Structures are given as structure tokens and as C-alpha cells.
Amino acid sequence: MCRAVFLDRDGVINAAIYNSVEDKLDSPYSLDEFRVLPGVAMGVRMINDLGFQVLVASNQPGLAKGKCSAEFLEELRDRLAASLAEERARLDGIYYCLHHPEAVVPSLRGVCECRKPRPGLLLKAASERDIDLANSFMIGDQPTDIEAGAAAGCRTVLLNGHATTSRPETLIASPDHVAVDLLAAAGIIQSLEGEN
Ligand SMILES: [Mg+2]
Ligand SMILES: [Zn+2]
């Protein structure tokens, strides 16, 4: 079996974008808005070097809500891969939940097992890749990330250093670790590995 570090995307890998219409943080919906956060490439490379698969596990209902196209999600994936590759960092896979209960696209509308806080994305990756979830990690900036990771049986790291809507008191599952950003979370995982 192999091990994985699952990463939420918005607020972990790239900056979340303030949506003034909905008064909440949202995903970038143009390449101009897409900005990789400081230290991310180095953090991903550290996790690569520790021998974990690095897998994105992210709710992306923008397509379902008519906010972006499938082509845009592919462009963004390519942009991210290129940005990480400049610093010899690599994502091993991307798992998106594209569904939403109020989707305008009928085929994406509904309650699914993969929208975090449900653990479906992590369980799917585990069955496809023979991942040992109990010795894997989920890193996210929202309570839903921590709940999904805990429900899948992973160890969890909550990031609290970027602008976020999460508040610790809203956490249902408490994280195993808290870190300021992805690079700091990678440092925690590296030091835990050193203890073994
Ligand atoms: Mg997030
Ligand atoms: Zn889903």
C-alpha cells in the first residue's frame, strides 16, 4: 500500500477569491485570479520527497453553478502543474467533486458521496491507488476538510494562516494538527516521519 497527503485546493494551494455578490470566499474563475500561495511548491516538494502521493481533494461546484467551464478547470490544472514543476514539485492526482445540490447543470445536481465533508473523494482515491488511509493526511483550511479527512480515517492538519471563513469553534471534528500554511504543514509531517 502507499500513503497520500490529500490537499484541499482553494485557501491551501491557491488563494481563495472574495466573491462580493455572495459575500464569501470563492474559487478563482479566471487565470488572472489564480495565484499559488507562498511556500506551496516547496511544501509539495517536501511531501513528494517523503514518499507520499500528493492528491488534491476539492469541492469545485463552479461548473455545476455555471460559474466556469470544464475547459477552465483543465487550464487551471495545467497552470498549477507548470507552476509547481518550476520548483520540481508534483501533484500525483486531482480529485474534484463537481456536484452541487442546487446545480444549474442537471447532470451535476444532487446530493453525492464525494462533496466534503463527506469522505467520498478520499475513499475513491484510496480504492484506485491502494492508499493506506490511516497513515495518510488531509490538509485543509475549512472544517469540512477536517471532517472529510477524519471520516476517511486520515490524520488531519488545519491551516489557519490565510483569509478563511473557518472558525475553530465551528469544527465538529478537531484537527490532529494546526499549521499556518502548507509549508508549515509539510514541516509537521516531515518531523512526524522523523519520529518513526
Ligand atoms: Mg479551502
Ligand atoms: Zn460530488
Side-chain angles (χ1 to χ4, degrees), residues 64-129:
K65 292 178 175 178
K67 291 179 173 179
C68 71
S69 64
E71 292 71 29
F72 172 72
L73 287 175
E74 287 175 20
E75 283 173 6
L76 193 148
R77 177 198 63 202
D78 294 345
R79 175 73 67 92
L80 174 58
S83 166
L84 294 176
E86 284 175 14
E87 299 187 51
R88 293 177 288 111
R90 179 193 80 247
L91 299 176
D92 296 292
I94 296 181
Y95 290 82
Y96 284 152
C97 167
L98 298 176
H99 313 110
H100 195 272
E102 286 134 41
V104 297
V105 178
S107 62
L108 296 174
R109 189 186 306 147
V111 175
C112 61
E113 290 305 313
C114 52
R115 182 172 169 78
K116 295 178 289 185
R118 292 195 177 85
L121 290 178
L122 284 62
L123 300 179
K124 177 171 187 239
S127 75
E128 287 180 0
R129 295 164 182 261

Side-chain angles (χ1 to χ4, degrees), residues 154-193:
C154 296
R155 287 178 280 175
T156 57
V157 186
L158 177 68
L159 304 190
N160 61 4
H162 300 297
T164 175
T165 57
S166 71
R167 295 179 184 83
E169 63 268 29
T170 65
L171 281 177
I172 294 172
S174 57
D176 296 301
H177 304 278
V178 177
V180 67
D181 60 12
L182 179 55
L183 182 56
I188 289 172
I189 294 171
Q190 186 177 53
S191 61
L192 290 169
E193 289 295 292

Side-chain angles (χ1 to χ4, degrees), residues 8-14 16 58 116 140-142 144-145 164:
D8 175 46
R9 201 193 76 184
D10 303 320
V12 172
I13 292 174
N14 57 272
S58 173
K116 295 178 289 185
D141 68 327
Q142 298 289 327
T144 49
D145 300 318
T164 175

